[in-house]
Amino acid sequence: MMAILSLKNLLFSGDVLFGQKHLPAAEAGFVSALSTFSKITFWIATSISTVLFSYLVNPPALTNDAQQSALDKTKPAIQLKQLVKGSGLAIALSTASLLVLYVGGDWLIPLLLGAQYKPVSQLVGYLFLPMAFYSAFQLCVQSLMVKPRLLQVVKLGLLYLVQLLSMELWADSIRSIYLIQMSIFLGGLFLFGAELIRWEREKSS
């Protein structure tokens, strides 16, 4: 479990790690500020969506045997819909949290970080897609934690390797860093989302 959490944190913190390495000091500071806000919105979104997602994936059993039997026959399709709902919920909560920061950033960011960080309010838009994809991606990873974990560690390790190579080759601006983050999180969402769907189908067969 520690390896999975450590790799997830490395992926999530890639903007700061590589921003400090590849960007001028002022831009690296802006990236650090963006990363701080992304973590705040992430924890707001996941603290709510994780609870609701658990209900969506494991709804209460029906008391009527005939209804329960009919439900079991269509369970794979239902599980897929539930995964989409859970991921959509995580994305919606993450986006809503960032939208508050985007709209009120001109006064909120200087209030929290100081006037020198006011330009960060113009950069919040870079977080919308990366954070949306990461919220759904980590939800899938968390749901697979009960499975044998070596495969999950290997997949996360490969994602980190791709992130590392991509940052070394193309991370020359704030925009490029968050485009890479977005691509990595989207790839992780497809990778772990597909495994979660396959696993749910195996459980119901």
Side-chain angles (χ1 to χ4, degrees):
M1 178 180 288
M2 289 303 299
I4 293 176
L5 294 176
S6 296
L7 285 168
K8 279 204 309 177
N9 288 336
L10 277 174
L11 288 170
F12 194 26
S13 302
D15 52 352
V16 175
L17 296 175
F18 294 103
Q20 291 176 345
K21 182 177 181 180
H22 295 290
L23 299 180
E27 292 187 4
F30 293 160
V31 169
S32 295
L34 285 171
S35 182
T36 299
F37 286 119
S38 71
K39 288 177 174 61
I40 293 172
T41 58
F42 166 73
W43 290 115
I44 291 173
T46 54
S47 62
I48 300 172
S49 63
T50 299
V51 175
L52 295 180
F53 183 68
S54 298
Y55 175 81
L56 289 170
V57 173
N58 300 292
L62 298 175
T63 55
N64 185 295
D65 290 340
Q67 289 179 330
Q68 186 64 50
S69 177
L71 176 64
D72 290 338
K73 291 179 181 179
T74 59
K75 197 171 183 180
I78 293 173
Q79 295 283 7
L80 176 58
K81 291 179 180 179
Q82 291 166 345
L83 175 60
V84 172
K85 288 179 181 179
S87 298
L89 177 62
I91 290 172
L93 289 171
S94 176
T95 302
S97 300
L98 283 172
L99 190 60
V100 172
L101 183 61
Y102 184 75
V103 172
D106 283 342
W107 63 269
L108 185 59
I109 291 175
L111 177 66
L112 295 175
L113 300 178
Q116 69 271 28
Y117 285 98
K118 187 174 181 179
V120 172
S121 63
Q122 306 301 316
L123 303 172
V124 173
Y126 288 141
L127 293 177
F128 278 94
L129 288 178
M131 287 307 303
F133 293 144
Y134 185 82
S135 296
F137 157 60
Q138 74 83 30
L139 202 58
C140 293
V141 174
Q142 183 173 322
S143 300
L144 289 165
M145 292 282 278
V146 295
K147 290 193 67 179
R149 293 168 185 163
L150 179 59
L151 182 59
Q152 319 308 324
V153 171
V154 170
K155 288 182 177 181
L156 287 169
L158 288 174
L159 280 173
Y160 179 68
L161 180 60
V162 173
Q163 182 192 53
L164 175 63
L165 292 174
S166 299
M167 290 291 188
E168 292 295 336
L169 290 172
W170 298 301
D172 57 2
S173 66
I174 295 176
R175 180 175 180 271
S176 64
I177 283 177
Y178 284 104
L179 282 174
I180 292 170
Q181 290 290 85
M182 179 188 71
S183 301
I184 293 297
F185 298 154
L186 179 59
L189 175 57
F190 279 116
L191 192 64
F192 284 86
E195 182 179 352
L196 182 57
I197 292 170
R198 183 169 61 252
W199 183 45
E200 293 293 345
R201 287 177 174 172
E202 289 173 357
K203 287 196 301 182
S204 62
S205 61

